[in-house]
Amino acid sequence: MTETFTAVVIDQVDGKPKGMFRQLALTDLADHDVLVEVAYSTLNYKDGLAFTGAGRIARRTPLIAGADLAGTVVQSRSPDWRPGDRVVVNGFGMTETEGGGYTRFQRVKPEWLMRLPDGFSLAQAMAIGTAGYTAALCVLALEDWGVIQPGTSEVVVTGAAGGVGSIAVSLLSSLGYRVTASTGRPETHEYLRTLGASDFIDRTTLTNKGGALQKEQWAGAVDTVGSTTLANVLAQTVYGGAVAACGLAGGADLPATVMPFILRGVTLLGIDSVMTPMAKRIRAWNYLDQHLNRDHLAAMTSVEPMSNLPALADAILAGKTQGRVVIDVTK
């Protein structure tokens, strides 16, 4: 192990949080029981907010950024983990209250770690990351609720060209659902078709305020946007349908009425990925191992050096990224 290594640290600049590159040593890390040599992290919308300071994600500073990591255990005081174990961590407060994955080494609590399924490489684990694992939680929630049926149900995915949306489209299409992708970028249509999208709607049709009850269209939905988009999706969901909501790229408000819930029996399923119990995490990752098309995953993934994070953070906040961005923390 090197004496020092590069990490991305959120610290205060003129009273505002901002990401910066720093040289750290192992002694700078938290005194948690497992030391992981990180190979890859990834870029989430939350990471963009944290790095740029556009959102006050880091609740204390200085703090190593990065909501995900995949790597190999090198030291452990826990009987549950041994050197050489391939592990992944999603959430658990990383980049909010705990140091994250934008670093060559990180110390974590044993209960945060999950063994990576043999079917995934470390790079693929971060191609999935919190975004893909969240998409799996959304699809599982819809299936568990019992409102969608392969071969017959139409499901809409908002923010479809983003990380969660891309993997949701791929999963749903691979499982036999008819998928409509909502995006404001026509240039992504061919990309989304390769992932299995059958139809498209322009996001402006969902961002403009609509009626409390609209034409019934969707048996289910995966919403990554929130705000008026989520309100419109709820108003367009069929009787007894359900919407899995996991994001707020369009805003944290929900300008909806109770009408879809009390007149059509629509269900709003809230999806949290940060503090999800380990049993649900393992189920979601095994579901991805079983159902995620590896060719789709490769098509939606780009690998970027950690040194490019300033530009990447701006791009994801501007809605200019596509699919999944893996961060190589060694570069």
Side-chain angles (χ1 to χ4, degrees):
M1 289 181 286
T2 58
E3 291 186 5
T4 63
F5 48 90
T6 303
V8 175
V9 177
I10 308 298
D11 210 343
Q12 298 293 316
V13 177
D14 297 327
K16 297 180 180 179
K18 189 172 179 60
M20 58 195 72
F21 294 97
R22 284 186 179 169
Q23 290 297 117
L24 301 181
L26 293 180
T27 53
D28 295 314
L29 303 177
D31 188 25
H32 295 321
D33 287 340
V34 182
L35 178 65
V36 176
E37 183 175 5
V38 183
Y40 299 97
S41 185
T42 186
L43 180 71
N44 300 295
Y45 192 79
K46 178 187 288 185
D47 295 315
L49 291 172
F51 188 92
T52 62
R56 289 187 175 272
I57 303 300
R59 300 178 196 172
R60 64 178 179 87
T61 54
L63 189 68
I64 297 173
D68 295 280
L69 66 81
T72 305
V73 173
V74 291
Q75 293 177 1
S76 175
R77 300 192 297 250
S78 167
D80 296 328
W81 302 101
R82 296 180 179 180
D85 287 343
R86 298 189 320 140
V87 295
V88 61
V89 183
N90 306 118
F92 284 118
M94 291 199 308
T95 210
E96 297 178 24
T97 57
E98 302 285 348
Y102 290 162
T103 175
R104 197 69 181 91
F105 295 92
Q106 186 55 274
R107 285 198 180 96
V108 299
K109 294 182 179 180
E111 58 267 29
W112 297 349
L113 291 166
M114 193 197 75
R115 283 182 174 82
L116 185 63
D118 291 339
F120 293 124
S121 68
L122 293 174
Q124 287 175 320
M126 289 294 93
I128 295 166
T130 287
Y133 140 69
T134 301
L137 290 174
C138 289
V139 175
L140 281 167
L142 292 173
E143 290 195 323
D144 288 347
W145 201 251
V147 297
I148 56 175
Q149 300 296 324
T152 60
S153 294
E154 187 162 3
V155 183
V156 65
V157 177
T158 67
V164 177
S166 293
I167 292 184
V169 169
S170 176
L171 272 179
L172 288 162
S173 65
S174 296
L175 290 162
Y177 300 101
R178 184 174 179 84
V179 182
T180 295
S182 170
T183 176
R185 295 180 283 170
E187 66 273 16
T188 66
H189 285 192
E190 188 56 37
Y191 158 75
L192 289 166
R193 282 193 186 94
T194 67
L195 302 183
S198 301
D199 297 293
F200 301 90
I201 56 173
D202 192 279
R203 68 182 174 203
T204 57
T205 65
L206 295 175
T207 55
N208 295 325
K209 185 176 180 180
L213 288 175
Q214 301 171 34
K215 180 182 176 181
E216 296 177 65
Q217 298 185 67
W218 325 114
V222 175
D223 177 64
T224 71
V225 180
S227 192
T228 306
T229 294
L230 177 54
N232 282 321
V233 169
L234 288 166
Q236 296 170 8
T237 299
V238 305
Y239 188 94
V243 177
C246 63
L248 44 61
D253 60 321
L254 180 55
T257 76
V258 299
M259 296 301 185
F261 309 113
I262 66 173
L263 295 182
R264 289 183 180 165
V266 171
T267 300
L268 179 58
L269 302 167
I271 306 299
D272 165 64
S273 60
V274 175
M275 301 306 294
T276 300
M278 186 55 67
K280 290 183 70 174
R281 291 170 182 264
I282 293 171
R283 183 189 178 203
W285 276 90
N286 286 338
Y287 189 80
L288 287 159
D289 191 16
Q290 182 179 0
H291 296 294
L292 184 59
N293 184 306
R294 301 309 197 266
D295 291 336
H296 287 182
L297 185 63
M300 70 178 75
T301 302
S302 61
V303 180
E304 296 282 349
M306 190 165 69
S307 58
N308 281 358
L309 269 173
L312 292 168
D314 288 337
I316 196 168
L317 295 187
K320 294 181 179 179
T321 58
Q322 175 178 291
R324 300 291 296 130
V325 179
V326 172
I327 302 298
D328 184 341
V329 301
T330 69
K331 299 179 180 179

